[in-house]
Amino acid sequence: MGGAGNGSPLGPSSALQQLDSIGLVELLEHDGRPTFILDLEALLDDTRLEPIFCNASLRSSPGLQEVVFGTTQLQLECGLRESRTYSDFKEWALSSTRHAVSADGNSLGFLYDGVVWTSFVLRRRWRLISGNHVQRVGSALTVPVGSSSHTNGPSTAVQSEKYPTQAAHPLTNAVRLHSSAATSPAWTSLLPTSPHTDFFLNIDWSATGVGALESWSYHLRQMAVLLMSDPRPAAMYWGPDKVTMYNEPYVVVAARKHPEMMGRPFEHVWPEVSNDFVFAAELTRQATMAENTRFLIERHGYLEESFFSWSMIPLRGQTGNIEGFYNPTFETTRQTISDRRTKTLISVSFATEMQLFWTYLLRGLEPNHLDIPFALLYALSDETQSGNPSGRKLATLQGTLAVPKSHVSAPNQVDFEHSEEGFIPQFRRAMQCGGPLVLQKGDGDLPETLTAGIQWRGYGEPSMAVVFPLLAGTRTLGFLLIGLNPRRPYDDDYQRFITLLGGQLSTALHSAVLMEQASLNQAELSKQLALRTQEVEESQKRFARIIDLMPVGFSSCDAAGKLVFSNNAFFQITGHLRSEAEPMSWLETILEEDLEVFGGYWHTLMVEQKSIDCHLRLKKRFRPPNVVDDHAEYNTTILIHAYPEVSDEDGSTLGVTSMITDISQLVHLQVMQRERAEEAVERANLAEKLALRTQEVASSEFKFKALAELTPVGLFYITPAGEVIFANEPWYEITGYDRSVHTPMYDSRRHEYFHTLINVRGFMDAVFEEDLELMRTEWSNLAEKRIPRTFELRLKKKWYDKTSGKSTPTWILASATQEKNEDGSVKSVMGCITDISLQKQAQEHALERAALSEEVIIRTQQAAESEKKFKQMAELAPCGMFYISVEGLVMWANSQFYEMTGHGRAPEDHYPLSFANIIAEEDHPLLWEEWDKVAVGKADVRFEIRVTRAWVNNTGGKPTKEPAWLLFMAFPERDADGSVRSIMGCTADISQLKWAESVQTRSRIDAEEAKRQQEQFMDITSHEMRNPLSAILQCADDITTSLETYISAADGNPALCEELVQSILEAAQIISLCSQHQTRIINDILTLSKLNSDMLLVTPVVVQPEAVVKGILKMFHGELQSHDIKMHFLLEPSYKECDVDWAFCDPSRLTQVFINAIKFTRAEAQRTITVSLGASVNKQPHGQDKRVQWFPSNDVDSSKDLVLSPDWGDGEAVYLYFAVKDTGRGLSTEEKTRLFHRFSQASPRTHVQYGGSGLGLFISRKLTELQGGEIGVASEAGEGSTFAFYIKGRRAVADVNANEAQRKSIPAAVSGSSRNQQADFSKGANQSANTTKSKESGEGEVFQRHIVLLVEDNLVNQKVLSKQLRRAGCTVYVANHGQEALEVLQRTKLWKDSISEDNIDIVLMDLEMPIMDGLTCARRIRELKNEGLILRHIPIIAVTANARMEQINTAIAAGMDDVMPKPFQIAQLIPKMDKLLARIWQ
């Protein structure tokens, strides 16, 4: 096969001669592939292909033939122009001639309907198209747009790399070149002449798996010619090694793999996909295909986003084995990107409201990360909008994509006309040009200051941007700025996309504006209402469930008295059984005394054909609520409105429609009111109004069948023989009567027909046994005596009380009468029944029933003013009812719905989803979730939601407005195919119930908070009381011990005596200091008690305010010195301007306010307090310091003005302003909100660092308010605080006794405490050693007991306890908090790898300490022991004033070994230490 010979270069001449003898038609008829021929010169149909020949294989497959030629039924119905797949196939079949490689050329394949079609053109006219059946091999054979996987074909190998286009073909060492002296075989002359062909021929093919060119098979030569001549990118992989060869257009696809990939095995060229792709095609022997694979190709100086579709077609040899694979590629960049952008245009939804437009816009743009890398959306406000009173145009940010929050390019709201922030100047330019404006970095429109920090989506690289105005007609209402794709040029297609996007957004914006202003057409609504009325007969199922919810009994019966329709309320009120379907059976529910009266009414209805309004008593018993006598029962009384249904043809009476209302409660109330003369008239008027409203409601007449379908009352027609002629569904449901049973009424107990004259049956088996006699009597009244009857009856059917879970016989209220023949005989018994079981069980809820009755009256009044047909009946319901289309349009609703929800009644208020406007904004997510459940999920829903309508709460005396709560119950109405046709339901106002729940919740929270504050106050007060008390006890022990030592050593050691005297003196001073501290705590509690009892008085004294303040400051002189606190006193200019010298005020109360300001400065590095004094005349000095936030109080304005008392003199009223500014820790915003409240400190740790009970600032607030003033604070965390307050007084004239009174009014100074000490291990050890040594040398009897680490932040307790421990023979080291304790342990031999010889036997640990508290420290010590850093267990005793059992348990759980509650004596502590150490050592 390799020789050229004298024949064709493609094979021997004998083969060609044999081929010439074979005809084309003969060849195609034997071809197993479906094949057809098109005449390209003939005038073809513009929609379908018209072949001139089909071979046997295609003719044997009619289905495939119809699909190919576009003659399937679906294609004919839908239109071939609408079928994109067929249109593409037709275009390929007719247009591929331009891709022919020669006069008799071929084109690449096309996949259509599971067949890969290939084609050849003969003599430029005859188009031969053949198909091969294929299937796709799993998801791995398709490449989604944007995928970076290399498992989907060779084309994806360049997707994530940046390959430049190879314009030339440099020959690198990787490419094996043929010897230059070699000559190419003759068949290569058929190859097109090009540099790429030269490159192809120069490859050393003999070194590859396919061999030298001259040895190639006929099939390989033919495919090589086809490959190199194909104008589209294509590659071919041949032989067992799948040697790669490709044409020149494929160089763009190969990118940087060219030229090395030519002649190399596929697995070396495409190692990332060789196992997943080609092998799959080889195993399945089927062609595989991938569409729209993305490439990044450098064609115009940058990496350009491109898309290609390609396929992998197996090439079979003469033996049928696969010899290679053909890989054609088609560029689909423009179509793919156009589809992506079109999808974005489609996804931009049209909003029905302006407020939703911006959200929908961004939601539509968000998925397109590549073409819209970032976006800014602004709304431009109108000058006339009420929200912009200044008249300026404001640009307000509505949302962003990929722009961080608070970015410099996206200010929230700016002045559109003057602002230079963000892109506002570019917006103004876009508004002036009226169209898209391109922004480029080089032009200065995209400065780095605005684009830095933007998180570009898509390829993540900065690019150009475009901004365009959003127009509604001629008005500019917003701007959209979007980034452009850095991998696509801003060409005509991109500009067209931006123009279409701007136009569509403007159209959508204009539509949203028009939708907000549009209203529904009243005539159209009337037309729809008329159509709904005509379709009433079809809507029985639609309204049946709604009618069953109504508490008013509705019924309809035919001329024979047989119930045609009745609702649940009818059976509940009358007690009539649903199973009793006989005509006039409902008469058994009427009391015998009223049957004759009802007979007259029935005659009026049936004969005179007039409406009636009457009261009737039923046999059903009614027990009034709140009655002590258990036997006080009465007959149920109902109000009936009924009217006849007259035939339009002959004027005969077709039946009766009635409405009944249970007014037993009202009648009973009227009886009760008659006994109370003052209430009798009001109750009578109420009954009269109810009757009047009911009469107005019943004045309208409509078709009987409409009411029968809509009313929930059980209606029936029964013959005298007891055969049910008609009964509606509620009648069967109430009675439980079997529809299939229509036999005479039989008394199963007597085994006989209970009527002697007329053999009847009925629902006797459904009647409760005790009421059988009553049923026989009532039937006799109806059938024999012909008396209309209304009576109550119990049925065997069980009624379940949902509240108690108990079951009782069902009670019904039955109303029935007779239809008579011309001779006066009974033709039928007709009536209605109502289930009144609920009323029978409602005696325990009498008050609620009374309220319900009033609500029924209100609904009845509203119903009388509404529409005339069924919807007029629905107005009587106490609940709102509605009918909404699947588009969200309220098609119908009763008055209660509008009243409960606040929805507008006008036609312009009704538009799709208009009901969303009545829902509170915060409940919109719940609304849409439930809407999806019922409209999409087709499920019944029941949920509670808030509406914008206000509910007036009158329970507190003063009316308040709160959001109204509604209970919604809705269900979908479905068509025959199961789709949702509409949504129906009802609403109930539950605002009162929700308010009660919130009151109960608030009460519980308040109680829990009060309990928590009380416990916290008790803990703090206990801690503050126990700490000094412990020090007092220990000092007392110290004094006692010192005195005993002094007595025994008085003559022996003078130095020791002097030391003991100094110790006693120091202990006495500490006792005094601790007593004063306890006195302050007790005084705070007593002051609070007086404030609560209004016993705290303000006594005016003539003083000099300046001298009073200076005297108060002297009180703190010692404490200020002990804490290194500097004090400054300043007189404000306002004080000097007002010239205040002497004034009436209460200096003792003023002193109490000042005491709480100094303590919060002790722990700061810079400790300074500045006290200032100011004044103002006749006005409150709120302007002295603008930063001060004054605590709101009603007492200042509402309380009595104290200075009006004669004791305050008649001088001019003045306000004295005081401010205390410190350099303390400052307060955070959260801490400031807790100030000035009872039992409240800035933080839970405040009392640990500064002490106190949480009452000081609360008392200060009350004292300032008591003196006609207010208190406030200005503070920032870490910057100190300014506590300011003012009081009211009067000017005064100094007298001779003023100085003495002023001096006595200022309390004595309080001595300060010692300065803070830092823990020093070596210093503590030396002190302990010296102390022990001195005692041993002095007495010789004190022995070394234990080495103790005392961790205590209170310096007094620390000093006293350490002294007593040393005196008891212990070596004591001290630490001020937990962190210092850990540092001390690190310097002992207890610490791993420590070289120190110092030791610690036991730790005494306080719990409440700054920096690190005792509990945290104990936990950390135990953790270090577990980690191996501490070598042995260290005993820890908690020494604390937190003495509650739960606090002790918390300490033990934290790692403490024992607890010593304060106060205690050293004689109690030492044995506890000895016992604990003995246990540990054992």
Side-chain angles (χ1 to χ4, degrees):
M1 296 182 65
N6 298 324
S8 170
L10 295 178
S13 58
S14 60
L16 292 178
Q17 294 174 358
Q18 294 177 8
L19 289 175
D20 290 338
S21 63
I22 300 176
L24 177 62
V25 174
E26 179 184 355
L27 175 65
L28 297 180
E29 284 292 338
H30 288 82
D31 194 344
R33 299 172 298 173
T35 306
F36 61 95
I37 302 177
L38 298 176
D39 186 357
L40 299 180
E41 293 183 0
L43 181 61
L44 301 177
D45 191 327
D46 60 342
T47 58
R48 292 191 298 273
L49 297 175
E50 296 180 352
I52 61 173
F53 168 77
C54 296
N55 71 347
S57 177
L58 182 59
R59 293 196 303 271
S60 64
S61 178
L64 179 61
Q65 190 174 359
E66 291 178 355
V67 171
V68 170
F69 303 135
T71 57
T72 66
Q73 185 64 28
L74 181 61
Q75 290 171 328
L76 295 176
E77 291 176 357
C78 298
L80 295 176
R81 291 186 178 91
E82 301 299 324
S83 175
R84 181 178 175 183
T85 304
Y86 183 83
S87 176
D88 293 343
F89 174 68
K90 176 176 175 290
E91 180 182 4
W92 168 82
L94 297 178
S95 64
S96 59
T97 56
R98 61 176 177 268
H99 302 303
V101 299
S102 64
D104 295 332
N106 56 45
S107 67
L108 298 177
F110 187 92
L111 178 62
Y112 173 62
D113 196 46
V115 178
V116 173
W117 300 91
T118 57
S119 64
F120 298 88
V121 179
L122 297 176
R123 300 178 183 178
R124 297 188 179 274
R125 176 176 180 179
W126 311 108
R127 178 74 164 167
L128 278 73
I129 300 178
S130 301
N132 292 281
H133 289 277
V134 299
Q135 64 180 14
R136 296 195 180 188
V137 185
S139 60
L141 302 184
T142 59
V143 181
V145 177
S147 171
S148 61
S149 171
H150 294 293
T151 62
N152 300 320
S155 303
T156 61
V158 301
Q159 182 173 320
S160 60
E161 299 185 28
K162 300 178 179 178
Y163 293 125
T165 302
Q166 303 274 347
H169 309 309
L171 302 180
T172 66
N173 294 330
V175 182
R176 297 164 305 281
L177 301 180
H178 192 273
S179 173
S180 59
T183 59
S184 299
W187 68 267
T188 59
S189 61
L190 296 177
L191 296 175
T193 303
S194 69
H196 185 79
T197 302
D198 296 339
F199 164 69
F200 171 79
L201 296 176
N202 287 331
I203 296 296
D204 185 7
W205 293 105
S206 62
T208 67
V210 297
L213 294 175
E214 57 271 13
S215 66
W216 285 12
S217 66
Y218 175 79
H219 191 196
L220 177 56
R221 296 177 186 181
Q222 186 181 36
M223 293 308 302
V225 172
L226 172 64
L227 172 68
M228 304 306 290
S229 303
D230 197 334
R232 299 186 183 185
M236 185 168 64
Y237 311 100
W238 196 268
D241 295 336
K242 303 176 183 64
V243 177
T244 304
M245 54 190 75
Y246 52 93
N247 60 9
E248 185 170 5
Y250 193 80
V251 172
V252 177
V253 180
R256 294 182 180 178
K257 292 182 181 289
H258 171 77
E260 288 82 355
M261 65 182 292
M262 181 71 80
R264 298 184 63 189
F266 180 83
E267 61 182 4
H268 295 162
V269 175
W270 305 109
E272 56 269 45
V273 297
S274 60
N275 293 332
D276 297 333
F277 190 78
V278 176
F279 284 173
E282 187 174 23
L283 292 175
T284 59
R285 307 179 67 85
Q286 299 289 337
T288 59
M289 180 177 179
E291 299 179 353
N292 302 329
T293 304
R294 181 173 59 182
F295 295 82
L296 298 180
I297 303 175
E298 186 174 353
R299 296 192 288 195
H300 302 92
Y302 64 93
L303 289 179
E304 182 179 347
E305 180 186 26
S306 304
F307 291 88
F308 293 86
S309 294
W310 46 269
S311 59
M312 187 68 72
I313 304 174
L315 302 176
R316 294 178 175 85
Q318 295 179 353
T319 62
N321 295 327
I322 296 178
E323 295 183 350
F325 297 90
Y326 194 77
N327 177 209
T329 306
F330 310 91
E331 183 169 6
T332 60
T333 302
R334 186 173 184 180
Q335 182 63 41
T336 302
I337 294 179
S338 176
D339 291 345
R340 185 174 71 202
R341 293 171 178 171
T342 302
K343 184 178 180 180
T344 300
L345 294 175
I346 295 174
S347 64
V348 178
S349 304
F350 281 76
T352 58
E353 303 178 20
M354 281 292 296
Q355 60 183 1
L356 299 177
F357 171 78
W358 314 108
T359 302
Y360 286 2
L361 193 157
L362 288 175
R363 188 183 302 170
L365 299 180
E366 198 279 335
N368 194 343
H369 292 250
L370 298 177
D371 294 321
I372 306 178
F374 83 94
L376 286 173
L377 180 61
Y378 275 84
L380 185 63
S381 64
D382 199 343
E383 302 89 337
T384 60
Q385 293 179 352
S386 59
N388 186 9
S390 63
R392 298 182 297 119
K393 288 187 177 181
L394 297 178
T396 304
L397 181 65
Q398 298 296 327
T400 64
L401 293 178
V403 180
K405 187 177 182 181
S406 303
H407 193 269
V408 64
S409 65
N412 287 331
Q413 191 176 68
V414 294
D415 185 349
F416 176 75
E417 297 176 341
H418 305 94
S419 176
E420 298 297 326
E421 297 183 58
F423 290 98
I424 301 303
Q426 288 84 334
F427 290 172
R428 292 196 290 267
R429 289 170 49 198
M431 185 176 181
Q432 292 174 357
C433 67
L437 176 64
V438 179
L439 309 180
Q440 302 185 53
K441 185 176 181 180
D443 299 338
D445 295 330
L446 283 176
E448 184 68 23
T449 56
L450 293 181
T451 58
I454 295 179
Q455 302 169 355
W456 293 72
R457 308 186 308 165
Y459 295 102
E461 300 176 6
S463 179
M464 299 188 299
V466 63
V467 59
F468 49 88
L470 302 178
L471 305 176
T474 59
R475 295 170 53 198
T476 301
L477 298 183
F479 295 91
L480 177 63
L481 185 146
I482 61 176
L484 299 180
N485 189 344
R487 293 286 179 265
R488 291 300 303 166
Y490 190 61
D491 51 11
D492 293 341
D493 290 342
Y494 216 142
Q495 294 178 25
R496 188 179 302 107
F497 167 65
I498 296 299
T499 302
L500 291 175
L501 179 61
Q504 181 161 346
L505 294 180
S506 297
T507 302
L509 182 60
H510 198 186
S511 176
V513 173
L514 294 178
M515 287 291 288
E516 286 188 340
Q517 301 173 351
S519 61
L520 296 176
N521 187 287
Q522 183 63 40
E524 182 64 21
L525 289 177
S526 300
K527 180 179 179 180
Q528 293 180 4
L529 180 61
L531 292 175
R532 296 301 179 192
T533 303
Q534 295 175 3
E535 296 172 356
V536 165
E537 186 173 353
E538 302 174 354
S539 62
Q540 181 174 4
K541 288 186 178 181
R542 178 187 307 166
F543 295 104
R545 294 175 66 180
I546 296 181
I547 293 300
D548 284 340
L549 298 174
M550 301 175 65
V552 179
F554 293 101
S555 64
S556 179
C557 65
D558 58 17
K562 180 181 179 181
L563 285 176
V564 178
F565 180 84
S566 59
N567 64 351
N568 287 335
F570 173 85
F571 296 106
Q572 293 172 358
I573 294 174
T574 62
H576 192 281
L577 295 177
R578 290 179 180 268
S579 58
E580 296 181 0
E582 292 82 358
M584 304 304 286
S585 62
W586 40 268
L587 285 179
E588 296 296 331
T589 62
I590 303 177
L591 193 66
E592 289 81 352
E593 292 83 345
D594 289 355
L595 281 176
E596 184 175 354
V597 177
F598 183 77
Y601 291 142
W602 186 258
H603 181 270
T604 302
L605 287 168
M606 300 301 294
V607 179
E608 300 179 11
Q609 297 185 343
K610 295 180 179 179
S611 301
I612 65 167
D613 292 284
C614 64
H615 295 73
L616 284 179
R617 291 174 296 172
L618 305 179
K619 294 179 181 180
K620 175 184 174 184
R621 303 299 290 171
F622 161 73
R623 186 175 185 274
N626 301 330
V627 176
V628 178
D629 187 1
D630 294 338
H631 301 287
E633 293 186 352
Y634 305 90
N635 293 99
T636 298
T637 304
I638 59 172
L639 173 66
I640 301 178
H641 169 72
Y643 58 90
E645 181 69 24
V646 181
S647 173
D648 295 334
E649 298 178 357
D650 56 4
S652 62
T653 303
L654 300 177
V656 175
T657 299
S658 63
M659 179 186 68
I660 63 173
T661 304
D662 189 345
I663 59 172
S664 305
Q665 182 72 22
L666 181 60
V667 172
H668 175 71
L669 291 176
Q670 291 174 345
V671 174
M672 297 293 293
Q673 289 169 347
R674 282 195 292 270
E675 298 176 359
R676 302 178 180 91
E678 296 179 358
E679 301 177 1
V681 176
E682 181 180 354
R683 288 296 185 184
N685 292 338
L686 183 62
E688 183 179 353
K689 289 180 180 179
L690 177 61
L692 179 61
R693 297 301 181 266
T694 305
Q695 184 177 1
E696 293 175 356
V697 172
S699 61
S700 62
E701 297 182 359
F702 53 91
K703 296 295 183 178
F704 162 73
K705 291 183 179 180
L707 180 60
E709 294 170 352
L710 301 177
T711 181
V713 178
L715 305 179
F716 59 86
Y717 271 76
I718 302 176
T719 65
E723 185 176 349
V724 178
I725 300 175
F726 170 81
N728 63 351
E729 185 62 28
W731 188 86
Y732 287 105
E733 292 178 358
I734 293 175
T735 61
Y737 189 70
D738 190 354
R739 286 179 176 273
S740 61
V741 178
H742 294 281
T743 56
M745 193 177 301
Y746 184 75
D747 190 339
S748 59
R749 190 173 62 177
R750 296 187 177 185
H751 303 285
E752 62 181 11
Y753 294 99
F754 74 89
H755 199 283
T756 56
L757 300 179
I758 306 176
N759 292 331
V760 294
R761 184 171 164 82
F763 48 82
M764 282 301 296
D765 289 339
V767 177
F768 194 61
E769 292 184 357
E770 297 180 5
D771 289 354
L772 285 174
E773 192 63 33
L774 172 64
M775 183 64 234
R776 286 191 291 272
T777 302
E778 294 299 338
W779 185 259
S780 176
N781 291 332
L782 288 168
E784 292 182 355
K785 300 179 181 179
R786 291 173 288 182
I787 302 175
R789 298 294 298 155
T790 298
F791 55 91
E792 294 179 358
L793 194 67
R794 286 177 293 179
L795 306 178
K796 292 180 181 179
K797 180 183 176 183
K798 295 298 183 181
W799 179 83
Y800 293 91
D801 186 359
K802 296 181 180 180
T803 302
S804 63
K806 298 179 180 179
S807 62
T808 59
T810 300
W811 278 92
I812 61 169
L813 175 65
S815 296
T817 188
Q818 307 84 15
E819 179 186 12
K820 300 178 182 179
N821 294 315
E822 295 181 358
D823 58 358
S825 61
V826 176
K827 181 179 180 181
S828 64
V829 177
M830 64 187 72
C832 60
I833 61 173
T834 303
D835 190 339
I836 59 172
S837 302
L838 184 61
Q839 288 84 336
K840 288 293 184 178
Q841 299 293 330
Q843 294 178 0
E844 297 178 359
H845 310 285
L847 295 178
E848 288 81 358
R849 288 176 56 81
L852 182 61
S853 298
E854 294 178 2
E855 193 171 3
V856 171
I857 296 174
I858 294 174
R859 300 299 183 267
T860 305
Q861 181 180 3
Q862 295 172 346
E865 301 171 357
S866 191
E867 298 178 6
K868 291 183 179 181
K869 303 267 180 177
F870 159 73
K871 297 168 186 179
Q872 183 181 34
M873 292 291 185
E875 297 295 336
L876 298 173
C879 54
M881 289 180 287
F882 57 86
Y883 170 40
I884 301 178
S885 67
V886 291
E887 292 81 15
L889 180 65
V890 179
M891 306 300 295
W892 171 84
N894 64 352
S895 297
Q896 290 304 314
F897 174 83
Y898 292 110
E899 182 176 342
M900 289 181 183
T901 62
H903 194 289
R905 299 172 185 260
E908 58 269 17
D909 295 329
H910 293 73
Y911 50 86
L913 301 179
S914 61
F915 59 82
N917 296 329
I918 66 176
I919 304 300
E921 186 69 24
E922 53 271 25
D923 284 356
H924 273 195
L926 172 61
L927 172 66
W928 299 128
E929 178 182 354
E930 299 297 334
W931 176 260
D932 289 342
K933 288 180 181 178
V934 68
V936 180
K938 306 177 184 179
D940 295 2
V941 296
R942 176 188 178 96
F943 59 95
E944 299 173 355
I945 202 167
R946 287 169 290 184
V947 295
T948 55
R949 176 182 65 85
W951 172 67
V952 179
N953 183 5
N954 295 312
T955 57
K958 183 179 179 180
T960 59
K961 290 185 178 182
E962 301 177 8
W965 280 86
L966 295 184
L967 172 63
F968 273 82
M969 294 170 287
F971 58 91
E973 179 203 4
R974 304 184 187 182
D975 286 329
D977 59 357
S979 60
V980 177
R981 182 178 181 182
S982 61
I983 291 91
M984 295 171 289
C986 60
T987 63
D989 193 334
I990 59 172
S991 302
Q992 183 78 22
L993 177 61
K994 282 293 182 180
W995 171 83
E997 291 178 355
S998 64
V999 169
Q1000 185 178 7
T1001 302
R1002 287 195 299 268
S1003 299
R1004 176 181 57 79
I1005 294 175
D1006 292 344
E1008 292 175 352
E1009 178 63 18
K1011 182 176 181 295
R1012 186 195 65 80
Q1013 290 185 0
Q1014 183 181 17
E1015 289 180 349
Q1016 183 179 3
F1017 170 69
M1018 293 299 294
D1019 291 341
I1020 295 174
T1021 304
S1022 173
H1023 184 273
E1024 293 297 317
M1025 293 294 288
R1026 287 173 178 268
N1027 265 328
L1029 185 58
S1030 178
I1032 290 172
L1033 290 175
Q1034 295 173 29
C1035 287
D1037 288 344
D1038 189 18
I1039 292 173
T1040 302
T1041 305
S1042 298
L1043 288 176
E1044 292 174 353
T1045 305
Y1046 177 80
I1047 293 173
S1048 62
D1051 299 332
N1053 192 343
L1056 177 60
C1057 294
E1058 184 179 355
E1059 179 184 351
L1060 293 174
V1061 171
Q1062 290 298 329
S1063 176
I1064 293 172
L1065 179 60
E1066 184 177 2
Q1069 291 174 347
I1070 291 175
I1071 290 175
S1072 176
L1073 181 63
C1074 293
S1075 299
Q1076 291 173 3
H1077 177 75
Q1078 286 183 307
T1079 301
R1080 286 197 295 269
I1081 297 296
I1082 294 173
N1083 287 339
D1084 282 349
I1085 298 175
L1086 292 176
T1087 302
L1088 177 65
S1089 177
K1090 289 181 180 180
L1091 285 172
N1092 291 338
S1093 304
D1094 293 330
M1095 296 176 63
L1096 198 64
L1097 301 178
V1098 177
T1099 305
V1101 179
V1102 178
V1103 295
Q1104 287 180 302
E1106 180 180 355
V1108 171
V1109 175
K1110 290 180 178 179
I1112 294 173
L1113 298 182
K1114 288 181 180 180
M1115 295 172 54
F1116 299 100
H1117 180 70
E1119 188 171 358
L1120 294 174
Q1121 283 189 335
S1122 65
H1123 290 86
D1124 289 337
I1125 299 176
K1126 297 180 181 180
M1127 173 69 72
H1128 301 287
F1129 175 64
L1130 300 176
L1131 284 177
E1132 299 283 350
S1134 61
Y1135 188 81
K1136 299 177 181 179
E1137 293 173 1
C1138 294
D1139 192 21
V1140 178
D1141 188 9
W1142 295 85
F1144 277 104
C1145 67
D1146 191 336
S1148 62
R1149 303 304 179 205
L1150 182 60
T1151 301
Q1152 287 180 275
V1153 179
F1154 261 103
I1155 288 177
N1156 290 282
I1158 193 172
K1159 63 173 65 175
F1160 299 101
T1161 310
R1162 298 175 185 170
E1164 305 303 318
Q1166 182 181 359
R1167 307 167 189 172
T1168 304
I1169 295 180
T1170 302
V1171 179
S1172 58
L1173 172 62
S1176 64
V1177 179
N1178 294 327
K1179 66 177 182 178
Q1180 299 173 345
H1182 283 169
Q1184 294 282 348
D1185 190 342
K1186 302 294 185 181
R1187 298 177 300 114
V1188 175
Q1189 299 177 4
W1190 299 96
F1191 185 83
S1193 174
N1194 296 327
D1195 295 343
V1196 177
D1197 299 326
S1198 61
S1199 62
K1200 180 181 178 181
D1201 193 348
L1202 295 178
V1203 301
L1204 298 179
S1205 173
D1207 295 339
W1208 290 79
D1210 55 0
E1212 184 181 24
V1214 295
Y1215 289 93
L1216 300 177
Y1217 171 83
F1218 307 90
V1220 180
K1221 182 178 181 181
D1222 61 40
T1223 57
R1225 57 178 293 273
L1227 300 171
S1228 65
T1229 303
E1230 181 181 0
E1231 290 174 338
K1232 286 190 286 186
T1233 60
R1234 292 195 290 266
L1235 289 179
F1236 309 119
H1237 291 279
R1238 188 195 310 261
F1239 307 141
S1240 179
Q1241 294 180 318
S1243 71
R1245 306 293 300 171
T1246 300
H1247 84 279
V1248 175
Q1249 189 170 357
Y1250 303 102
S1253 59
L1255 293 175
L1257 291 179
F1258 171 74
I1259 293 174
S1260 299
R1261 174 172 70 91
K1262 287 298 184 180
L1263 289 175
T1264 55
E1265 294 172 354
L1266 191 62
Q1267 299 177 76
E1270 291 180 298
I1271 192 170
V1273 65
S1275 180
E1276 295 293 338
E1279 299 181 4
S1281 305
T1282 299
F1283 286 88
F1285 66 94
Y1286 66 89
I1287 61 174
K1288 189 175 183 181
R1290 286 188 181 273
R1291 292 183 186 272
V1293 179
D1295 55 24
V1296 295
N1297 298 323
N1299 288 332
E1300 181 65 19
Q1302 178 173 286
R1303 184 183 64 82
K1304 293 181 179 180
S1305 64
I1306 302 175
V1310 179
S1311 61
S1313 60
S1314 62
R1315 299 186 181 183
N1316 190 19
Q1317 301 179 11
Q1318 294 297 325
D1320 189 332
F1321 185 91
S1322 60
K1323 181 179 178 180
N1326 293 334
Q1327 290 175 349
S1328 303
N1330 293 336
T1331 302
T1332 305
K1333 181 178 179 180
S1334 63
K1335 291 186 178 181
E1336 289 176 350
S1337 61
E1339 299 299 328
E1341 59 184 21
V1342 179
F1343 61 92
Q1344 181 70 31
R1345 184 183 295 273
H1346 306 301
I1347 302 175
V1348 181
L1349 173 59
L1350 175 60
V1351 188
E1352 171 66 69
D1353 65 319
N1354 188 296
L1355 298 181
V1356 173
N1357 288 349
Q1358 184 188 102
K1359 184 174 184 179
V1360 172
L1361 184 54
S1362 62
K1363 181 188 295 184
Q1364 297 230 357
L1365 289 171
R1366 291 189 182 103
R1367 187 167 293 168
C1370 298
T1371 300
V1372 182
Y1373 301 111
V1374 295
N1376 294 321
H1377 49 76
Q1379 186 62 42
E1380 287 188 4
L1382 294 177
E1383 294 173 0
V1384 170
L1385 291 175
Q1386 292 180 14
R1387 298 195 293 271
T1388 67
K1389 65 180 181 180
L1390 297 175
W1391 197 266
K1392 183 180 180 180
D1393 299 331
S1394 174
I1395 60 176
S1396 174
E1397 293 299 326
D1398 297 315
N1399 190 24
I1400 296 293
D1401 293 333
I1402 193 168
V1403 178
L1404 301 181
M1405 182 87 67
D1406 189 16
L1407 297 187
E1408 302 287 350
M1409 295 182 293
I1411 301 179
M1412 181 183 288
D1413 58 59
L1415 297 177
T1416 303
C1417 182
R1419 294 191 189 98
R1420 184 55 183 158
I1421 290 174
R1422 300 309 181 211
E1423 290 173 359
L1424 293 172
K1425 168 63 172 59
N1426 295 333
E1427 294 171 4
L1429 295 178
I1430 293 180
L1431 301 179
R1432 66 172 174 82
H1433 180 83
I1434 303 176
I1436 306 175
I1437 297 179
V1439 181
T1440 176
N1442 296 334
R1444 288 193 292 120
M1445 183 54 65
E1446 59 187 81
Q1447 294 171 326
I1448 293 176
N1449 293 335
T1450 301
I1452 298 298
M1456 303 291 183
D1457 293 284
D1458 207 341
V1459 177
M1460 173 57 71
K1462 297 178 182 179
F1464 62 88
Q1465 293 180 315
I1466 197 67
Q1468 298 172 314
L1469 178 60
I1470 293 297
K1472 186 180 287 287
M1473 295 168 55
D1474 293 340
K1475 183 178 179 180
L1476 177 59
L1477 285 172
R1479 188 176 75 235
I1480 297 298
W1481 290 337
Q1482 289 176 357

